[in-house]
């Protein structure tokens, strides 16, 4: 199959889940490329906003050809930015076709706005080649809390909703990365569309199992890999960790992610009086993330909203247990995954204490379970079979 991936987000603004799935699909014998237009923001990254060119160009990323463009967003002019982003993607698609011909299927990542652009491309194709149709699918990653931040609490009359709802309803398949996501976002988009769950993929060879040093004569090392945002619950994690220290437990905590080395985060650490036992690492590269996991005994994530937190899969793939909240989907709640209520400092502290005191986790079994669910081979085969069935239909 000839598959064109269209991400809503891509580096330097996240979106590596698109690259991971593209690599998985290519490994299953498909012809796969990525068409990416990234909207840059002054607020999110001044250096990238200034230095990256809007000139369209090809480059190779981990063996995948990427047709790339960067768009400088206009602050607070959402509708203009969206319309411009969509126009650029549609224009890039026409240029792509001139070089590689029409793909068999479009694979958009997040309906906002790649799924909407894929729908417009499909409609234009259908007008040219009646009765043929260019199918498109949407893998959905965005959690409810992010939609609420942009659209307001449901029911909402935000202008974006009608457009995105139409893209869902016309898609050949919507692929949420957790079953729960369908109900979560139904207050905005309803359920009048075809959908089937497929897990995101992680690099299980890179995040492979590694036995840990026994921790009987040293501190128990927790880590948290999450950007410093309200949604990630650091204001719950830090007091919970303080409770462990106050109870006399010999534990440490390493935190890493965007803005974890910011003044606001350091002030929160200081307010909880845990600075002597917390290591702040900032944003890490992939190799540094793995190194941190291999030097940790458990991962903790106090999130208020998630769809399928890949960091939990990466941690469990290396063989350590995780503690997180009820926003984690059922598919990730395997042995070694401990779930507590959202916003509960006491319950989070209790679960962290339980994990630190328990010394018989089967790390290799935890790692194997993740491989069976989210390895590139497993996810690549599922997506290939799904796309083939759509083309046959």
């Amino acid at each position: 199959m000839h598959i064109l991936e269209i991400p809503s987000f891509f580096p330097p603004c996240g979106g590596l889940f698109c690259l991971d799935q593209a690599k998985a699909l290519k490994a299953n014998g498909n012809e796969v490329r990525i068409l990416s237009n990234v909207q840059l923001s002054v607020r999110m990254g001044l250096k990238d906003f200034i230095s990256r060119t809007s000139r369209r160009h090809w480059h190779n990323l981990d063996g995948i050809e990427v047709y790339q463009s960067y768009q400088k967003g206009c602050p607070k002019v959402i509708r203009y930015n969206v319309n411009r982003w969509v126009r650029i993607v549609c224009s890039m698609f026409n240029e792509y076709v001139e070089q590689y011909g029409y793909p068999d299927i479009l694979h958009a990542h997040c309906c906002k706005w790649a799924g909407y652009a894929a729908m417009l491309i499909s409609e234009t194709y259908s007008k040219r080649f009646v009765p043929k149709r260019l199918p498109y699918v949407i893998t959905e990653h965005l959690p409810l809390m992010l939609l609420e931040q942009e659209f307001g609490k449901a029911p909402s009359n935000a202008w974006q909703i009608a457009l995105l709802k139409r893209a869902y309803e016309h898609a050949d398949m919507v692929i949420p990365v957790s079953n729960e996501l369908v109900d979560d976002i139904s207050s905005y988009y309803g359920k009048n569309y075809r959908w089937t769950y497929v897990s995101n993929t992680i690099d299980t060879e890179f995040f492979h199992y590694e036995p840990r040093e026994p921790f009987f004569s040293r501190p128990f090392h927790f880590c948290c890999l999450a950007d410093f945002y309200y949604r990630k619950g650091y204001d719950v994690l830090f007091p919970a960790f303080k409770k462990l220290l106050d109870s006399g437990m010999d534990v440490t905590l390493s935190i890493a992610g965007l803005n974890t080395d910011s003044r606001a985060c350091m002030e929160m650490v200081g307010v909880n009086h845990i600075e002597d036992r917390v290591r702040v690492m900032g944003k890490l590269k992939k190799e540094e993330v793995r190194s941190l996991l291999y030097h940790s005994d458990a991962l903790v994530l106090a999130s208020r909203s998630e769809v399928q937190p890949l960091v939990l899969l990466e941690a469990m793939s290396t063989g350590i247990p995780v503690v997180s909240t009820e926003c984690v989907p059922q598919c990730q709640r395997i042995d070694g995954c401990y779930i507590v209520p959202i916003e509960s400092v006491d319950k989070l502290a209790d679960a962290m204490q339980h994990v630190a005191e328990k010394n018989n986790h089967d790390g290799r079994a935890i790692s194997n379970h993740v491989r069976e669910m989210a390895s590139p081979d497993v996810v690549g085969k599922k997506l290939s079979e799904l796309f083939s069935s759509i083309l046959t239909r």
Side-chain angles (χ1 to χ4, degrees):
M1 276 180 295
H2 178 182
I3 304 167
L4 181 59
E5 305 273 331
I6 305 179
S8 297
F9 315 98
F10 209 61
C13 303
L16 284 176
F17 40 71
C18 172
L19 178 64
D20 291 338
Q21 290 202 357
K23 290 159 60 177
L25 285 163
K26 183 177 179 180
N28 271 266
N30 299 293
E31 178 186 355
V32 186
R33 297 180 188 87
I34 296 174
L35 187 159
S36 168
N37 178 41
V38 175
Q39 179 175 303
L40 302 174
S41 164
V42 173
R43 184 174 59 87
M44 296 300 293
L46 179 60
K47 181 179 178 181
D48 286 318
F49 188 88
I50 294 173
S51 63
R52 293 187 184 266
T53 176
S54 59
R55 179 179 56 84
R56 300 174 188 182
H57 61 283
W58 284 93
H59 64 102
N60 189 289
L61 192 57
D62 287 2
I64 300 295
E65 291 181 279
V66 181
Y67 190 32
Q68 185 74 67
S69 175
Y70 296 102
Q71 167 189 338
K72 297 181 190 289
C74 297
K76 300 183 179 180
V77 191
I78 296 175
R79 191 188 294 260
Y80 171 79
N81 287 331
V82 168
N83 289 337
R84 185 166 167 238
W85 190 93
V86 171
R87 286 197 306 269
I88 291 173
V89 168
C90 292
S91 173
M92 291 175 70
F93 176 79
N94 291 333
E95 294 173 356
Y96 176 90
V97 169
E98 290 179 3
Q99 184 166 352
Y100 291 106
Y102 284 98
D104 295 314
I105 192 167
L106 300 175
H107 183 194
H109 289 266
C110 300
C111 193
K112 187 175 80 71
W113 287 94
Y116 178 71
M119 180 193 69
L120 296 181
I121 292 169
S122 175
E123 289 177 349
T124 301
Y125 175 95
S126 299
K127 293 176 182 177
R128 292 176 183 172
F129 300 99
V130 176
K132 292 183 67 175
R133 181 176 178 277
L134 177 59
Y136 72 95
V137 300
I138 303 169
T139 289
E140 189 55 77
H141 308 263
L142 293 183
L144 176 62
M145 185 173 286
L146 289 185
L147 299 181
E148 290 177 339
Q149 289 175 2
E150 183 161 355
F151 304 151
K153 295 277 189 179
S156 168
N157 61 357
W159 61 268
Q160 298 99 318
I161 293 175
L163 303 181
L164 298 172
K165 184 177 181 181
R166 185 159 70 94
Y168 273 112
E169 293 174 349
H170 289 202
D172 292 83
M173 189 65 69
V174 175
I175 310 170
V177 295
S178 71
N179 284 310
E180 291 86 345
L181 183 58
V182 176
D183 286 329
D184 286 347
I185 63 179
S186 63
S187 56
Y188 293 107
Y189 307 133
K191 297 183 181 179
N192 186 28
Y193 55 86
R194 293 176 289 268
W195 67 273
T196 185
Y197 150 74
V198 177
S199 171
N200 252 316
T201 184
I202 64 164
D203 190 343
T204 50
E205 293 299 324
F206 184 84
F207 293 102
H208 58 80
Y209 170 73
E210 190 76 23
R212 302 309 196 270
E213 172 191 351
F215 53 83
F216 301 107
S217 58
R218 62 168 177 81
F220 187 95
H221 299 309
F222 285 101
C223 71
C224 177
L225 286 153
D227 296 341
F228 185 68
Y229 296 135
Y230 173 77
R231 181 166 67 91
K232 297 299 183 178
Y234 277 103
D235 56 326
V236 177
L237 171 60
F238 290 158
F241 182 70
K242 178 68 160 56
K243 287 197 66 175
L244 297 189
L245 295 177
D246 290 345
S247 71
M249 295 193 68
D250 189 13
V251 291
T252 62
L253 172 65
S254 295
I255 62 173
L258 185 67
N259 295 327
T260 53
D261 54 355
S262 66
R263 177 181 296 181
C265 184
M266 297 303 297
E267 288 177 352
M268 190 178 290
V269 170
V271 166
N272 285 279
H273 306 292
I274 54 177
E275 54 267 47
D276 291 341
R277 304 294 284 182
V278 173
R279 180 172 59 148
V280 178
M281 305 181 71
K283 187 176 181 179
L284 301 182
K285 297 178 180 178
K286 185 177 179 180
E287 292 76 11
E288 294 171 325
V289 169
R290 182 176 65 177
S291 177
L292 174 57
L293 290 174
Y294 284 154
H295 287 87
S296 301
D297 300 305
L299 179 138
V300 57
L301 189 67
S303 289
R304 294 178 165 92
S305 177
E306 295 282 356
V307 176
Q308 190 193 31
L310 297 186
V311 66
L312 296 190
L313 295 178
E314 291 168 350
M316 290 188 287
S317 184
T318 69
I320 58 174
V322 299
V323 179
S324 193
T325 63
E326 291 174 340
C327 66
V328 171
Q330 291 292 335
C331 61
Q332 289 188 266
R333 301 186 189 187
I334 61 177
D335 289 341
C337 180
Y338 296 86
I339 300 298
V340 301
I342 297 171
E343 304 273 10
S344 176
V345 171
D346 291 341
K347 294 296 184 181
L348 185 65
D350 290 344
M352 293 171 68
Q353 179 175 348
H354 173 75
V355 168
E357 292 177 344
K358 185 177 179 179
N359 59 13
N360 63 343
H361 291 104
D362 189 341
R364 189 176 294 277
I366 295 173
S367 178
N368 288 339
H369 199 144
V370 173
R371 178 180 293 272
E372 292 169 0
M373 174 177 61
S375 70
D377 182 58
V378 168
V379 174
K381 286 180 179 177
K382 286 183 178 180
L383 290 175
S384 294
E385 291 170 358
L386 176 60
F387 295 174
S388 293
S389 68
I390 289 172
L391 294 177
T392 302
R393 184 178 65 214

